[in-house]
Amino acid sequence: IKALLYKMSLQAQVNDEDPNLQITVLQKEITNAQDAVQKSILQVLLAERYNAYLNNYGWRIYQRSTTVNFKKEDIATWSADDFNHTITTLYSKALRPEKQLQQTSLKPYKAIIIKGNTDKLRPTLYDLLAHKILDYYKNDNAYITKPAYLFEIKEPEALATVSVFLNHNFKAADSSSNLLMALRLFQRLMNFHKNDTDASALIDINLERIEWVHENSIIDNKEALYRQAL
């Protein structure tokens, strides 16, 4: 994976005009990958390539309408909906081998990780990938086509204690909402760490959940619930 990333960085310096080249390379690597953990890493890397292109050219992409029955081999022709659907699909696939990722130490992957000083907060590969994915879902995908049944965070359980939050089933007709996906991924991460001997990772993700819900919800009596949650 490290060799692949280095090769792609060199290719980008030689030819940065066609983003499809790196995407094709990653798609091929994902298809050929035999190891589920390595495949998850590659899927996250590919999703990040799509997201980077969307961020760089969003001013142009957001003006496009969604097309149907159109062969979309060139991402330069994609709409914002196309990008969001592809990115969320890749992220969903990346977290499928959940137990295996949770049992995978970061040590064998130190060659491709920019190390910080928070080992206890990101103890496994699952934590690292899930947090990267969570950063995407925490964005309210304001640029995609909105359904009539738009999901909004209204339930007070979103700002409740850990046990109440984890046992609440957040439902929505808008199942593709990034806000809903973020809430569910917060639950998965917190559930993974709820019985840790060292509570550092749980406290970290819980504080992130409280702050994010406070900023993105329309819950009645939100300020009082926020103070209580803190």
Side-chain angles (χ1 to χ4, degrees):
I1 294 173
K2 180 181 179 180
L4 174 66
L5 291 171
Y6 186 62
K7 177 182 176 181
M8 289 172 61
S9 70
L10 293 177
Q11 287 176 334
Q13 294 176 41
V14 176
N15 183 1
D16 62 353
E17 297 298 320
D18 186 2
N20 295 289
L21 293 176
Q22 291 196 353
I23 286 169
T24 300
V25 169
L26 279 168
Q27 287 173 333
K28 182 179 178 181
E29 292 291 335
I30 290 170
T31 300
N32 294 335
Q34 300 298 313
D35 181 82
V37 170
Q38 291 183 11
K39 183 169 288 199
S40 291
I41 295 172
L42 293 168
Q43 285 165 333
V44 170
L45 290 172
L46 178 55
E48 289 188 335
R49 288 294 185 278
Y50 285 121
N51 195 29
Y53 186 87
L54 180 61
N55 290 332
N56 288 336
Y57 298 98
W59 56 273
R60 186 166 61 197
I61 295 168
Y62 301 152
Q63 306 301 318
R64 299 175 188 159
S65 58
T66 301
T67 54
V68 181
N69 297 326
F70 178 69
K71 199 170 184 179
K72 301 177 181 181
E73 295 178 347
D74 184 357
I75 66 170
T77 66
W78 286 15
S79 69
D81 286 347
D82 294 324
F83 278 98
N84 187 63
H85 174 73
T86 302
I87 291 167
T88 55
T89 298
L90 282 166
Y91 282 153
S92 176
K93 289 179 178 179
L95 290 182
R96 280 179 188 170
E98 188 170 74
K99 292 297 182 185
Q100 197 170 346
L101 291 169
Q102 290 172 349
Q103 295 168 1
T104 301
S105 167
L106 293 176
K107 290 180 181 178
Y109 295 94
K110 61 182 180 180
I112 58 171
I113 294 173
I114 300 173
K115 185 174 173 58
N117 59 354
T118 56
D119 290 354
K120 292 182 179 180
L121 306 187
R122 306 288 186 271
T124 70
L125 187 59
Y126 177 77
D127 291 289
L128 193 63
L129 296 182
H131 274 277
K132 292 181 77 66
I133 294 170
L134 184 60
D135 287 340
Y136 179 80
Y137 287 148
K138 283 165 64 179
N139 185 322
D140 186 24
N141 53 8
Y143 48 81
I144 69 169
T145 305
K146 296 298 183 183
Y149 40 83
L150 180 67
F151 173 74
E152 296 176 313
I153 304 175
K154 298 179 180 179
E155 297 159 272
E157 288 84 358
L159 271 177
T161 60
V162 171
S163 59
V164 172
F165 175 71
L166 290 182
N167 286 300
H168 186 70
N169 184 17
F170 293 96
K171 295 181 179 179
D174 179 17
S175 59
S176 63
S177 166
N178 275 14
L179 296 182
L180 179 63
M181 303 285 268
L183 283 171
R184 289 174 174 172
L185 188 48
F186 270 118
Q187 288 178 316
R188 290 168 69 178
L189 274 163
M190 290 169 63
N191 195 58
F192 174 44
H193 289 293
K194 67 180 180 181
N195 296 319
D196 288 359
T197 303
D198 185 334
S200 300
L202 177 62
I203 293 171
D204 178 68
I205 187 62
N206 191 31
L207 284 171
E208 186 178 349
R209 183 260 305 193
I210 292 167
E211 293 290 351
W212 178 77
V213 171
H214 176 246
E215 292 175 6
N216 293 275
S217 64
I218 53 171
I219 302 170
D220 292 337
N221 200 27
K222 180 170 73 171
E223 295 304 320
L225 290 172
Y226 173 61
R227 289 193 295 271
Q228 184 177 348
L230 288 175

